Amino acid sequence: MSQLATVLDLIHSASARRALTLVGIGGHGGSGKSTLANAIEASRPDVQVVQTDSFWNGSQFDLPRLRGEVVDVLLRGDTATYDAWDWASRSAAGQVMTVPTGVVVIEGVCALHEMFRNDLDVRIWVDAPYEFRLTRGVARDGEASRTTWTEVWMPSEDAYVARDNPVQCAHIVIDGAIPY
């Protein structure tokens, strides 16, 4: 069975019991989280993806805002509306709506943060080797980003993983270096 099939089985099992299924996909930058989220979204018509990157405020991820504007709102059964961040323009990108039905995938480095993990029906960690992630990140963001990746992003992510241990809470760890 492929990794994607295994993930889809986990989601199917969880969603058979609930009107709203929250799925968290965490992992280091460049590991393949977005690729997996996109594959899940393409597999079912009831999937919506919320990227933690949308909750960047220009200097850091605003996880309390993600909690208050999306997770708590969806758990109450209400439609979540939030302002997303546009990384390319480094400014607000407009409002996004997420309805409280089907499968909502929260995808990003901090998606399995302790602030959210108890509310997630399915928790997935995407793992990949350091060099693989660096190569992917630089390919996406440009060679000028290499120093930011090696001196800022990757050490910051490593500190988060050491402090919060999101891998330990995952229902499944998949290899992002293997195509889904």
Side-chain angles (χ1 to χ4, degrees), residues 44-96:
R44 298 175 54 140
D46 65 341
V47 175
Q48 303 164 83
V49 176
V50 175
Q51 298 176 327
T52 62
D53 283 358
S54 292
F55 293 85
W56 182 255
N57 66 16
S59 62
Q60 65 183 2
F61 291 102
D62 190 349
L63 299 182
R65 187 168 72 87
L66 172 58
R67 176 81 211 186
E69 293 181 9
V70 177
V71 177
D72 290 342
V73 173
L74 293 174
L75 290 173
R76 280 196 315 262
D78 296 328
T79 297
T81 303
Y82 60 93
D83 291 318
W85 178 261
D86 182 339
W87 284 81
S89 69
R90 297 177 189 229
S91 64
Q95 289 197 325
V96 177

Side-chain angles (χ1 to χ4, degrees), residues 26-44:
H28 290 92
S31 64
K33 301 175 304 301
S34 297
T35 302
L36 178 60
N38 292 338
I40 294 167
E41 187 174 33
S43 75
R44 298 175 54 140

Side-chain angles (χ1 to χ4, degrees), residues 5-17:
T6 302
V7 166
L8 293 175
D9 281 350
L10 280 171
I11 294 169
H12 177 74
S13 293
S15 65
R17 300 183 306 264

